[in-house]
């Protein structure tokens, strides 16, 4: 019985050492997974005060765009530390998207608006689409087509003050 336990422990040790030594190269992983090259970056410019957190969202349909980030296909948060903020979405699927961003200055996790619905915090959307007279920018005006690979979309922050 002692010999059996020892043999089992030896096999486990050899398997563990073998798994540590065998590591496929990162290039092989990328070659076998084309989606690994799909990196969509949002570069947000025009930050006046480096404070708060930037909410970044990718929408694949009009539903919820641009304000309801919880309805977005993909979301991320990034600390605002300079005049430019970068949000990165890795392994992004191909297709049409619209991006929406805002600076959450007070840390409540949402875009604050005034009594008539105008944003009280800095915001922006892809294509730098403009807000409509009585409402936010339209999805169709902010939409862009992502065809894969590394792509950077620039968004200029809007301050409604």
């Amino acid at each position: 019985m002692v010999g059996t336990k020892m043999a089992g422990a030896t096999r486990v040790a050899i398997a563990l050492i073998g798994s540590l030594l065998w590591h496929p190269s990162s290039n092989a992983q990328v070659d076998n997974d084309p989606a690994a090259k799909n990196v969509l970056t949002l570069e947000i410019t025009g930050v006046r005060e480096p404070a708060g957190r930037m909410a970044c969202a990718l929408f694949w349909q009009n539903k919820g765009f641009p304000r309801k980030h919880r309805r977005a296909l993909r979301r991320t948060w990034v600390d605002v530390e300079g005049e430019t903020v970068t949000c990165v979405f890795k392994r992004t699927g191909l297709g049409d998207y619209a991006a929406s961003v805002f600076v959450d200055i007070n840390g409540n996790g949402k875009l604050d608006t005034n009594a008539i619905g105008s944003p009280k915090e800095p915001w922006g959307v892809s294509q730098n689409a403009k807000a409509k007279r009585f409402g936010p920018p339209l999805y169709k005006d902010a939409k862009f087509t992502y065809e894969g690979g590394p792509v950077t979309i620039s968004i200029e922050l809007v301050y409604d003050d």
Side-chain angles (χ1 to χ4, degrees), residues 3-132:
T4 305
K5 285 184 180 178
M6 184 58 89
T10 303
R11 275 183 256 160
V12 170
I14 290 171
L16 181 60
I17 291 170
S19 70
L20 292 173
L21 293 175
W22 182 82
H23 187 318
S25 73
S26 60
N27 287 339
Q29 289 174 344
V30 170
D31 291 341
N32 292 330
D33 183 9
K37 297 178 182 178
N38 291 352
V39 179
L40 178 62
T41 303
L42 303 180
E43 183 179 74
I44 302 101
T45 59
V47 176
R48 292 182 187 168
E49 294 181 36
R53 298 192 76 201
M54 181 75 67
C56 301
L58 285 179
F59 291 83
W60 60 279
Q61 61 182 351
N62 187 40
K63 193 173 186 177
F65 179 81
R67 294 183 179 160
K68 297 184 179 176
H69 280 207
R70 69 181 181 281
R71 291 190 177 178
L73 178 65
R74 310 260 316 261
R75 306 179 290 184
T76 190
W77 289 86
V78 179
D79 290 332
V80 177
E81 298 176 342
E83 294 177 359
T84 301
V85 176
T86 303
C87 295
V88 178
F89 295 97
K90 296 180 180 178
R91 301 179 55 79
T92 303
L94 309 183
D96 292 336
Y97 295 99
S100 171
V101 301
F102 70 89
V103 180
D104 185 17
I105 294 172
N106 62 6
N108 66 356
K110 64 179 185 174
L111 176 63
D112 295 321
T113 58
N114 63 21
I116 61 170
S118 295
K120 292 173 28 179
E121 295 175 304
W123 62 276
V125 297
S126 48
Q127 308 290 11
N128 292 315
K130 303 296 181 203
K132 297 301 174 192

